Structure formats: structure tokens, C-alpha cells
């Protein structure tokens, strides 16, 4: 099942790469593989405990972050440390062109992973949530006060902006459709616990559909191959549906 979630050729994927499938394969190898036969190529030494990491789509660069708020860039083939900078805790994302996207001083930086030099900066965004579309060509950002922004993940150009109707939606969970043309997010929440889940067309910025439900938080959303929308909601009694 995990293999079905990945393209045949990872260097030239013909469809989105499902990160959960990569994680499942890693777990299978760990549990069922012969650990004595697994030999590391090299060790990537950090100054302290590793916090997060991201691998470029072409598998040539690995960017890691440690608890001292330092970013490291590694050559996957050789294990060479290419660059190292100080940076606060940030999401690490790679776009479709193998360029790194990260946050620095409340700005969103688009950079060459070999040296962390930004080629484009979106200033004063104060992002609290960032997510890439399945094809890694669009970037979703929530900045806290109910704003949902969509950027071109290659150029940094803003494509769409939506302001939530309720400031109680501080940092909504946001999800892309499989084709990257729509986003699903929590639009508003009233004092009685009813939330409105909206489906927005990215190209026009218009809300196509709305669903009102008595739950506290949107936890996940996805479209099936036949176009049906499924959502997972967090209910007040701390159970999942």
C-alpha cells in the first residue's frame, strides 16, 4: 500500500509524492528489515538534538534544524555540510524547483539551499502556519488573525487572500485539494460551537461551498478520486470522527 502512494520514478515524479507513504516505508524497513545489514553512508553531525528536517524533491539536498535554532544544508550524495545559519524555529519546505522556503524574522524566505541566500522575501507576514500544495507549486500561509493567503511557491507572488469572518479562527488548519486548485479551511466559529468549513477556489479567491457543523475544530480534509470531500473533525468530547 505504501508503494502505491509513491511514483515509480522519484527523480521524475508523474504525480504528487505522498510523504505518509515514505514514512510508512521507513517504518517497514525499521521493523522488518535486518538492522545488521543496514549500514549508514555517513553521519550528519549537529551541535545539539535534531528538531526537524526536509529533503528536496530531487533528493540532492537535506536541510535540518537543531534545538539551538541553527539550519544546516547537506549534500545528500556526499554528506558534505554546504551551509549553516542561525534561524528561529521554522517550517522547512522545498518547492517544485528544489528551492527552500522558510521563515526568518517574521518574513517568508525563498532561498537556494546551498547557501540559504534568499532570492525572494515576503516581508512582515508573521506566519503561524505554512503548507505546500501536493505538486509543491503553491504555498498556503495563515498569519494568525484569521488571514489565509496563497502564494506561488516558485516566485512568491500572492495569488489569493481570504480574511476569516471570526477572529476566533486564529490559525486554522488549511488543506489543498489533490489538484491544488482549491483549499478547505475553517472559515468561522460562533459562540455556540458551530463552525463553518469553506471550500475556496484559489484562482478566483471565491468561496465555492460552505458546510456548517457542530464541532470545535477541523483536523483534516481531502478529496477522493471521484471528487467527494471528506473531513475529519475534532469533537468537544475529545473524540475523532
Amino acid at each position: 500500500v505504501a508503494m502505491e502512494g509513491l511514483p515509480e520514478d522519484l527523480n521524475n515524479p508523474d504525480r504528487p509524492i505522498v510523504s505518509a507513504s515514505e514514512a510508512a516505508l521507513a517504518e517497514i524497513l525499521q521493523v522488518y528489515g535486518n538492522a545488521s545489514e543496514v549500514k549508514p553512508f555517513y553521519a550528519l553531525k549537529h551541535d545539539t538534538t535534531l528538531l526537524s528536517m526536509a529533503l528536496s524533491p530531487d533528493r540532492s539536498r537535506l536541510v535540518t534544524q537543531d534545538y539551538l535554532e541553527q539550519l544546516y544544508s547537506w549534500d545528500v550524495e556526499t554528506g558534505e555540510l554546504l551551509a549553516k545559519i542561525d534561524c528561529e524555529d521554522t517550517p522547512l519546505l522545498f518547492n517544485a524547483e528544489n528551492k527552500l522556503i522558510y521563515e526568518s524574522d517574521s518574513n517568508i524566505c525563498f532561498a537556494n539551499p546551498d547557501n540559504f541566500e534568499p532570492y525572494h522575501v515576503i516581508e512582515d507576514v508573521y506566519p503561524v502556519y505554512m503548507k505546500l500544495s501536493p505538486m509543491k507549486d503553491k504555498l498556503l500561509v495563515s498569519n494568525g488573525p484569521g488571514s489565509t493567503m496563497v502564494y506561488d511557491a516558485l516566485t512568491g507572488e500572492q495569488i489569493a487572500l481570504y480574511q476569516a469572518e471570526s477572529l476566533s479562527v486564529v490559525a486554522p488548519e488549511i488543506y489543498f485539494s489533490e489538484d491544488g486548485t482549491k483549499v478547505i479551511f475553517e472559515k468561522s466559529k460562533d459562540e455556540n460551537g458551530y463552525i463553518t468549513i469553506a471550500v475556496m477556489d484559489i484562482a478566483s479567491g471565491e468561496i465555492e461551498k460552505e458546510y456548517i457543523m457542530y464541532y470545535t475544530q477541523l483536523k483534516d480534509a481531502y478529496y477522493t478520486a471521484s471528487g467527494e470531500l471528506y473531513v475529519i473533525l475534532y469533537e468537544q468530547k475529545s473524540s475523532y470522527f
Side-chain angles (χ1 to χ4, degrees), residues 3-124:
M3 291 295 289
E4 286 297 317
L6 297 172
E8 268 188 43
D9 186 352
L10 292 176
N11 293 320
N12 297 289
D14 57 352
R15 54 195 172 89
I17 296 173
V18 181
S19 57
S21 293
E22 293 183 294
L25 285 174
E27 183 177 354
I28 291 168
L29 292 173
Q30 182 178 10
V31 174
Y32 297 104
N34 188 342
S36 64
E37 296 179 359
V38 179
K39 305 295 183 183
F41 288 109
Y42 40 73
L44 305 179
K45 296 185 178 181
H46 297 73
D47 293 339
T48 185
T49 306
L50 189 63
L51 177 63
S52 61
M53 66 179 71
L55 183 65
S56 63
D58 65 1
R59 307 306 199 257
S60 68
R61 297 292 181 265
L62 177 71
V63 173
T64 60
Q65 182 176 30
D66 66 18
Y67 276 95
L68 291 178
E69 297 187 337
Q70 301 174 120
L71 293 185
Y72 305 73
S73 179
W74 308 90
D75 184 305
V76 173
E77 184 69 24
T78 64
E80 177 188 358
L81 177 62
L82 301 174
K84 178 181 173 182
I85 62 169
D86 293 328
C87 184
E88 69 270 20
D89 185 12
T90 174
L92 299 174
L93 306 171
F94 274 98
N95 66 21
E97 295 182 345
N98 302 294
K99 296 298 188 286
L100 180 69
I101 302 174
Y102 66 97
E103 177 195 354
S104 178
D105 297 325
S106 303
N107 304 320
I108 298 177
C109 300
F110 296 71
N112 183 341
D114 290 354
N115 52 27
F116 295 117
E117 287 293 328
Y119 63 86
H120 183 76
V121 177
I122 306 174
E123 297 182 345
D124 302 324

Side-chain angles (χ1 to χ4, degrees), residues 95 101 110 119 132 136-139 151-156:
N95 66 21
I101 302 174
F110 296 71
Y119 63 86
L132 283 172
K136 303 183 184 299
D137 60 345
K138 297 183 181 68
L139 174 69
Y151 295 95
D152 185 309
L154 307 181
T155 66

Side-chain angles (χ1 to χ4, degrees), residues 218-238:
L218 175 66
K219 297 300 293 183
D220 199 357
Y222 63 92
Y223 279 92
T224 64
S226 60
E228 296 175 308
L229 173 64
Y230 278 73
V231 296
I232 299 175
L233 304 161
Y234 187 73
E235 196 257 346
Q236 287 182 327
K237 297 179 181 179
S238 299

